[in-house]
Amino acid sequence: MQTNELRHRRLRSGLIALALALSALIFLIASPRMAFAADEESGAAVPGANGSYGTSSLFADEGAHEAAREHRRSSASGNAQLLGAILGEIAKSSDTVYEQQAEAAQEQREQQRLEEEARAAAEEAAREENVRASVADIALGLLGVPYVSGGATPAGFDCSGLVRYCVLQACGWELPRTAAGQSAMGHSVSFSELQPGDLLFWGDAAGAWHVAISLGGDSYVHAPAPGQSVSVGTFQYFTPSFARRLSF
């Protein structure tokens, strides 16, 4: 924002300089004509006391006119040089104003591009967060479903079958069937950054043997073991080894 303000100030200064230069140019163009008209108006011979125009008076007037003409020629030459300098400054001012306008326009386009990218990234992040939240909500709706080894339907789930089913229902993705395969999906996230729908794993990246769906904080939904059912667990009860976040 400060850069934009600085460019606007420079642009205004350039426009003011251009206006002043144009004003000076108009004055220089008008000055010789004004001087010529003044000389013409004052150039009439003045009669003597007897009402006649004396020879010496005529010569004096002629000399004065010649001096005036020489002065005008000298002034015109100086004005021409000054005019050339002003025209040069006008050209520079015009170029400067054009460059500043082009820079301001380019900067505005770049700012708009960055704002659009940031808005798109924020919208995409919100969409993915909503999908993960849906995964957690679907898992909560399956509390009480019995544990079935190899199960991946509401008739019965094992741990990876539950995760696979919830993700499929939330966004249509088909995750790998095992906890080890699912542990390679997405990217790592710390426990302090957990959001609903993140995946929690027990074991290590090369051999995860259990998986659950985070509810945020230290709670999660999982299919624990044979003889049990889908339930909510906590870190105090059963602490995971690491977490992953899916990018949908």
Side-chain angles (χ1 to χ4, degrees), residues 22-108:
L22 288 172
S23 298
L25 174 60
I26 293 171
F27 175 78
L28 286 177
I29 292 174
S31 292
R33 297 181 180 179
M34 294 168 62
F36 178 77
D39 287 343
E40 289 295 322
E41 184 177 340
S42 62
V46 179
N50 59 1
S52 63
Y53 297 91
T55 304
S56 60
S57 176
L58 291 173
F59 285 158
D61 289 343
E62 182 63 28
H65 284 310
E66 181 61 28
R69 284 192 291 271
E70 181 60 29
H71 176 70
R72 286 198 302 274
R73 283 194 292 269
S74 177
S75 296
S77 177
N79 287 347
Q81 295 178 358
L82 183 56
L83 178 60
I86 290 177
L87 289 174
E89 289 301 318
I90 290 175
K92 290 180 182 178
S93 297
S94 298
D95 290 343
T96 299
V97 169
Y98 175 79
E99 290 173 359
Q100 291 173 350
Q101 288 175 331
E103 289 177 2
Q106 177 61 30
E107 185 171 297
Q108 184 177 14

Side-chain angles (χ1 to χ4, degrees), residues 81-228:
Q81 295 178 358
L82 183 56
L83 178 60
I86 290 177
L87 289 174
E89 289 301 318
I90 290 175
K92 290 180 182 178
S93 297
S94 298
D95 290 343
T96 299
V97 169
Y98 175 79
E99 290 173 359
Q100 291 173 350
Q101 288 175 331
E103 289 177 2
Q106 177 61 30
E107 185 171 297
Q108 184 177 14
R109 287 192 295 270
E110 179 64 14
Q111 183 65 27
Q112 290 174 342
R113 183 186 67 81
L114 293 175
E115 290 176 355
E116 290 174 357
E117 288 181 354
R119 183 167 53 253
E123 291 174 353
E124 180 63 17
R127 186 192 65 80
E128 291 188 357
E129 185 174 344
N130 288 336
V131 173
R132 286 192 295 270
S134 295
V135 171
D137 289 341
I138 293 169
L140 285 171
L142 296 170
L143 295 178
V145 173
Y147 182 95
V148 174
S149 180
T153 71
F157 294 107
D158 62 12
C159 64
S160 58
L162 173 66
V163 171
R164 190 173 192 272
Y165 176 84
C166 292
V167 171
L168 181 63
Q169 295 302 309
C171 66
W173 274 29
E174 293 189 3
L175 294 182
R177 183 59 187 84
T178 64
Q182 292 172 1
S183 69
M185 305 298 292
H187 61 273
S188 178
V189 63
S190 67
F191 291 156
S192 63
E193 298 174 325
L194 286 174
Q195 296 178 358
D198 288 334
L199 303 185
L200 303 173
F201 294 92
W202 284 254
D204 56 44
W209 49 267
H210 188 62
V211 60
I213 298 171
S214 173
L215 297 176
D218 65 351
S219 60
Y220 51 84
V221 177
H222 67 151
Q228 301 184 41

